[in-house]
Amino acid sequence: MEKYVVVPAVGLALFSWVFSCPRFVEFYPDPKDVSDREGEYVEIRMDDFQAESLFVQFESKESLSFAWPKAERFVLVHDSAKCPVDSLRDVPQVLSQESPRWGVACGSLGKISLPNSRETVWKVWAGTCVDSVNVPRPKPGKAIQRVGLTDRWEFVDAASASSAGIDAADSLLESRVLENGVSVLRVTEVHHCPEEPMPEWVELYNAGMHPLPLDAFRFCDRGGALGVAGDSIRPFQALLVSKDTASLRAALGIPEIRMVQVSLGFLNNNEGTLRLCFRDRIIDSVSWNKSTVVCPSGFNPLSGRREFTPGFLPKSARNVSRAGGVDQDAFNQDAAKTPVEYKLSSRVISKKGSPLRVRVESEQDVVLSLLDSAGRRVWKSVVPAMANEWVKVPAQEYLGIGAGFVSLSVGDFENVVGILVRP
């Protein structure tokens, strides 16, 4: 289902293609206070590229293969006991659980030992993305950090490297939460007085291009964080917040809806306010009274109109709420945009005719898929961010005579277009 989103600032968009591929950012080959096997690590910044697997190779040794880490930072270590046990897989190991605040997953270095007395060569790749680096000769007790997106490296104290990484991640997260002063995480539906036995619930929507850690958000003065370490809301994903998710799921009967349980207390049926906080900062606020909507209906905070679309954002609705001081005309114009634009060479193709081509324009990597008449995916490709190119889709090869579909997806946003294959 199509969803409304806010397109990120132009400055971020211009560089999104650079940040979209996995890249090495830090090495710690020679710890001083612990043994090498206990302390050495390799850090890879993941950002927003998506693939099924990630591969890492040290010099000419056999490459390590990992299931795709769902985190912003992927750290390779020797001692997997320091990682959550329930997330371990077969060696080489990878963890899907993220660490507090910054979205860190970890995997095993296996038998690889980081040399202490010479330069080393490392390579990481996934799909068409490749990052190959020459790491300088280590210094005892020093972490080796990459300088921005360059091929230069600098040595820093290991103790300060950790805090510096946290500060940088904090700034990065804030820039992703607030775009042009507007929060991309918003309250999009409120049900303060639903009909019994359905519990009260609130819908949140991530209108941004990046996953956001739920433990950084809460309803101000109401309960705790929206999630524990490792929980996140994906780009263009909606989730429901309730103090009784089991009863809510039973009442709605829609199993695929994402829900989180938070002790919200009781929402006033006649008049009330909800404020959403990022850390200690209010990023969204919604209010209602008797004239807003008649119970037991819920409402859209921006329009103030009744609504009941749990977990889904209709194209016809302005399902975004706003923070104070926003230019509403500009805000609405941005809200109407989608994360991917497309153009088909034709909606009707012949088995022996010209191939189907799709022009894809997006500031994010786009998963382009071909679906058969039953909606089953028969072909997939990833179109890089900012490619703005025509892509050949092998519809004649993978589809039979009749209907088929082209799917374009970014995060939880998906646009599905019907096509017809003739003899």
Side-chain angles (χ1 to χ4, degrees):
M1 179 171 290
E2 290 184 285
K3 306 180 176 83
Y4 283 101
V5 300
V6 176
V7 176
V10 174
L12 292 176
L14 290 176
F15 295 97
S16 62
W17 67 273
V18 177
F19 286 92
S20 62
C21 289
R23 66 193 190 281
F24 292 108
V25 294
E26 188 172 326
F27 292 82
Y28 188 37
D30 192 9
K32 291 176 59 178
D33 301 328
V34 296
S35 68
D36 284 358
R37 289 192 63 84
E38 285 184 279
E40 62 185 24
Y41 63 84
V42 176
E43 181 178 336
I44 301 169
R45 185 57 57 92
M46 302 302 298
D47 289 297
D48 305 305
F49 184 83
Q50 293 292 323
E52 293 183 357
S53 301
L54 179 75
F55 301 92
V56 177
Q57 187 174 33
F58 168 59
E59 297 181 338
S60 60
K61 296 184 182 296
E62 183 178 356
S63 62
L64 303 177
S65 175
F66 302 94
W68 190 257
K70 296 181 180 179
E72 290 184 354
R73 300 162 62 193
F74 186 45
V75 180
L76 303 181
V77 296
H78 287 291
D79 187 4
S80 58
K82 295 181 180 180
C83 301
V85 176
D86 58 351
S87 296
L88 288 174
R89 302 180 183 181
D90 293 336
V91 175
Q93 295 159 327
V94 63
L95 307 182
S96 61
Q97 181 166 344
E98 302 169 2
S99 71
R101 299 178 67 185
W102 315 123
V104 179
C106 58
S108 174
L109 279 168
K111 298 180 180 180
I112 293 176
S113 294
L114 279 60
N116 295 341
S117 58
R118 61 178 175 87
E119 292 185 354
T120 53
V121 178
W122 291 79
K123 179 181 177 182
V124 58
W125 70 95
T128 58
C129 284
V130 179
D131 185 31
S132 181
V133 298
N134 295 316
V135 183
R137 178 178 176 176
K139 296 180 180 180
K142 299 286 187 179
I144 309 172
Q145 290 186 340
R146 196 171 193 164
V147 180
L149 299 176
T150 71
D151 291 328
R152 295 187 294 112
W153 299 82
E154 63 181 8
F155 293 92
V156 299
D157 290 333
S160 62
S162 177
S163 60
I166 290 176
D167 291 341
D170 196 17
S171 299
L172 175 63
L173 176 58
E174 183 172 347
S175 69
R176 291 179 171 181
V177 173
L178 300 173
E179 295 179 356
N180 295 327
V182 179
S183 171
V184 299
L185 185 64
R186 302 188 178 97
V187 180
T188 51
E189 195 168 339
V190 177
H191 285 259
H192 56 293
C193 54
E195 189 171 2
E196 297 289 348
M198 181 180 295
E200 300 168 342
W201 58 273
V202 179
E203 181 185 71
L204 298 178
Y205 177 58
N206 180 6
M209 300 288 190
H210 306 279
L212 301 175
L214 288 177
D215 61 336
F217 301 89
R218 60 186 175 85
F219 284 105
C220 317
D221 306 320
R222 284 180 177 269
L226 298 181
V228 298
D231 290 342
S232 63
I233 179 170
R234 298 190 300 272
F236 319 117
Q237 182 183 51
L239 61 80
L240 308 187
V241 181
S242 176
K243 61 184 178 182
D244 187 354
T245 53
S247 296
L248 180 58
R249 191 173 295 280
L252 293 176
I254 310 176
E256 63 268 24
I257 297 178
R258 174 87 185 275
M259 298 183 185
V260 296
Q261 189 275 330
V262 176
S263 299
L264 287 175
F266 290 96
L267 303 181
N268 193 297
N269 291 355
N270 298 319
E271 183 176 8
T273 298
L274 270 177
R275 297 179 299 163
L276 182 64
C277 278
F278 166 60
R279 309 274 188 246
D280 295 323
R281 178 175 181 177
I282 298 174
I283 57 174
D284 197 12
S285 179
V286 297
S287 300
W288 64 90
N289 54 40
K290 288 183 177 180
S291 63
T292 303
V293 68
V294 178
C295 289
S297 297
F299 69 96
N300 177 325
L302 182 60
S303 67
R305 298 173 181 172
R306 61 180 297 181
E307 188 168 309
F308 187 79
T309 56
F312 302 94
L313 284 85
K315 183 178 179 180
S316 60
R318 295 286 185 182
N319 277 342
V320 286
S321 59
R322 59 173 178 168
V326 175
D327 182 334
Q328 191 60 41
D329 291 336
F331 181 79
N332 283 345
Q333 185 177 1
D334 282 343
K337 298 179 182 178
T338 59
V340 56
E341 301 290 341
Y342 70 92
K343 184 177 181 180
L344 271 63
S345 60
S346 176
R347 295 281 294 273
V348 180
I349 58 175
S350 171
K351 267 287 190 181
K352 298 181 180 181
S354 300
L356 172 65
R357 297 182 182 275
V358 181
R359 181 174 175 83
V360 181
E361 299 181 6
S362 177
E363 296 166 354
Q364 298 291 310
D365 295 317
V366 177
V367 177
L368 178 63
S369 304
L370 191 62
L371 313 179
D372 64 15
S373 59
R376 296 171 298 219
R377 184 162 66 186
V378 295
W379 175 85
K380 181 183 77 169
S381 179
V382 177
V383 182
M386 308 296 289
N388 298 341
E389 61 184 14
W390 287 92
V391 180
K392 182 180 177 181
V393 179
Q396 288 99 331
E397 179 180 351
Y398 287 93
L399 295 180
I401 305 300
F405 304 91
V406 173
S407 167
L408 303 99
S409 60
V410 177
D412 273 28
F413 174 94
E414 183 179 28
N415 198 347
V416 179
V417 187
I419 60 174
L420 181 64
V421 181
R422 289 182 173 178

